[in-house]
Amino acid sequence: MGRRQLPLLALLGPGLMVMLADTDAGCVVTAAQSGATWGYRLLVVEALLVPVLYLVMELAVRLALTTGKGLTELIREHLGPTWTAVAVGTLAVSVLGALVTEFAGLAGVGELFGLPPAAVVGVSAAGLVLLVVTGGYRRVEVVGIVLGSLEFVFVAAAVMAHPDGAALARGFSPVQPYGDPSFLALVAANAGAVVMPWMLFYQPTAVLQKGLTVRNLRAARIDTAIGAVVTQVVMAVVLIAAAASFHGGQLRTVGQLARALQPALGSTAGRIVLALGIGGAALVASIVVSLAASWSVAEAFGRRCDLDAGVRAQRLFYGAYVAIVAAGAALVLTSGSFVRLSVDVEILNALLLPVLFGILAVLARRALPAGHRLAPRRRLALVAAAGPCAAVALVWVGISLGF
């Protein structure tokens, strides 16, 4: 039975996994801070970011399935070695920072239960390496989605917090205090984190690893759409839980978030919810970001990757993967400035968005076959969605740098 005849459910996975990774530890804290500071008012922003996610990621998947090549391979072919080096270099920095954020989040979860950070980070890093080195693509995807699905515990947290229905409904109103600098900063933080650079490199290669072709484009679009809705639902329920449980303060760490949920969930339940939700989010994000970087490095050297081919046949890919995971773990365990580094990485991601959107636009013009090029309406929709997102991300950079 060919891939085209397989049931739709068997073709899904890459889009859902990358979107679950998008709601990583840092994004959970951002959503919680949004609810704690502004109540339900940023819910409209979470809803508006769904089409942004879908349109951008659908283009990345379309490029992969119609050309049979990953994003780095396409950049190398159509934009040359200089742009390839820039893309891989900046992606590596972004991925390393993301891993630091995820490992720091896991360490914070461990501290809720009195576990030493070194043990939590060390075991997590070893598990990530063993998963990829000993398992094929299918197992990696299944494990990633199962871990990411733990984020749905936040739905229970939101329900148990008993949000005010009328106030929640007003959160979807388009009329919000966009002129307030502090509100705009959180709008920018949410928008700047909606499309991470590593997402654009992971999903195109992942759909090819799964064995999908252009005949499966419809299924890949459904997968991407489901993932876009799921990730923003998770962001929304975290915001709702924080808004209903804790209002008017700063939530910047896992411990602070656990204490904020205590009135609604209790001490023990609050810690368990945070451990499952943030732990699952951080682990699936760690898998995705490290694979995105490793695949990109291999593609930059003109080598195709296959998780089912074994270590000996792909030493460059596996060497890059182990090095990236080890470097992220080492930075967390040796650095005392996690927060500053995380902020710097978020600024870098925001700066990269306009560049990456531009690269996607160029590749859409040069690489897409005639029958799959963007129609005028789709181009207009993509510009209407991605343009403001990139602009708001740049505003976030200015705010973060104190301008």
Side-chain angles (χ1 to χ4, degrees):
M1 182 182 290
R3 287 277 174 179
R4 191 175 186 179
Q5 286 77 41
L6 285 174
L8 176 62
L9 187 61
L11 301 176
L12 305 182
L16 179 58
M17 183 164 169
V18 78
M19 297 297 186
L20 287 171
D22 188 30
T23 317
D24 63 358
C27 288
V28 168
V29 174
T30 297
Q33 182 60 56
S34 300
T37 306
W38 287 96
Y40 307 107
R41 291 186 175 182
L42 278 142
L43 283 174
V44 65
V45 174
E46 306 298 354
L48 290 174
L49 290 175
V50 172
V52 176
L53 264 175
Y54 173 76
L55 289 169
V56 173
M57 297 307 297
E58 189 276 340
L59 176 54
V61 170
R62 186 191 300 216
L63 282 163
L65 293 183
T66 56
T67 64
K69 299 174 181 177
L71 184 61
T72 304
E73 196 173 356
L74 288 172
I75 294 172
R76 181 170 171 264
E77 180 178 317
H78 292 278
L79 299 178
T82 300
W83 276 106
T84 303
V86 170
V88 173
T90 52
L91 174 66
V93 174
S94 173
V95 163
L96 189 58
L99 277 175
V100 169
T101 301
E102 310 314 333
F103 283 139
L106 289 169
V109 168
E111 289 177 352
L112 294 177
F113 299 92
L115 300 176
V120 175
V121 173
V123 170
S124 300
L128 290 172
V129 171
L130 286 174
L131 172 65
V132 171
V133 170
T134 63
Y137 174 78
R138 178 175 175 79
R139 189 168 77 168
V140 170
E141 182 179 89
V142 170
V143 171
I145 291 176
V146 169
L147 289 171
S149 297
L150 295 175
E151 298 172 29
F152 288 107
V153 297
F154 290 121
V155 175
V159 172
M160 293 174 67
H162 301 293
D164 184 318
L168 193 151
R170 288 194 295 271
F172 291 97
S173 169
V175 180
Q176 301 294 350
Y178 295 107
D180 189 305
S182 63
F183 185 82
L184 185 60
L186 280 172
V187 170
N190 283 273
V194 69
V195 180
M196 302 291 191
W198 40 264
M199 297 174 66
L200 296 171
F201 289 85
Y202 175 85
Q203 193 175 353
T205 302
V207 295
L208 300 177
Q209 287 274 305
K210 196 174 179 72
L212 305 188
T213 68
V214 67
R215 294 177 299 176
N216 308 120
L217 183 57
R218 177 177 175 273
R221 286 170 172 163
I222 294 173
D223 185 28
T224 303
I226 292 172
V229 172
V230 164
T231 189
Q232 291 309 112
V233 166
V234 172
M235 290 288 283
V237 295
V238 172
L239 185 153
I240 291 169
S245 304
F246 185 81
H247 187 69
Q250 296 292 312
L251 296 178
R252 300 189 183 278
T253 68
V254 174
Q256 290 173 341
L257 185 52
R259 287 190 292 274
L261 293 177
Q262 283 182 15
L265 305 181
S267 177
T268 302
R271 285 186 294 164
I272 292 174
V273 165
L274 262 294
L276 292 175
I278 292 185
L283 286 170
V284 67
S286 297
I287 296 170
V288 168
V289 299
S290 49
L291 279 176
S294 306
W295 280 335
S296 185
V297 168
E299 289 176 11
F301 286 91
R303 301 184 186 181
R304 292 288 182 92
C305 302
D306 185 355
L307 287 178
D308 299 312
V311 176
R312 291 185 178 181
Q314 301 178 108
R315 293 179 181 177
L316 175 63
F317 162 72
Y318 284 104
Y321 180 85
V322 173
I324 289 167
V325 172
L331 276 176
V332 169
L333 296 177
T334 58
S335 174
S337 56
F338 307 144
V339 174
R340 181 66 257 176
L341 181 57
S342 297
V343 170
D344 290 342
V345 170
E346 289 170 349
I347 292 173
L348 174 62
N349 288 339
L351 284 171
L352 285 175
L353 276 182
V355 176
L356 289 173
F357 289 164
I359 288 175
L360 279 178
V362 172
L363 292 177
R365 189 174 70 250
R366 296 184 183 180
L368 284 176
H372 294 280
R373 289 173 185 165
L374 296 178
R377 289 182 181 178
R378 178 58 67 90
R379 286 200 302 269
L380 181 61
L382 188 63
V383 171
C389 183
V392 170
L394 291 177
V395 169
W396 182 24
V397 172
I399 293 171
S400 299
L401 295 178
F403 294 113

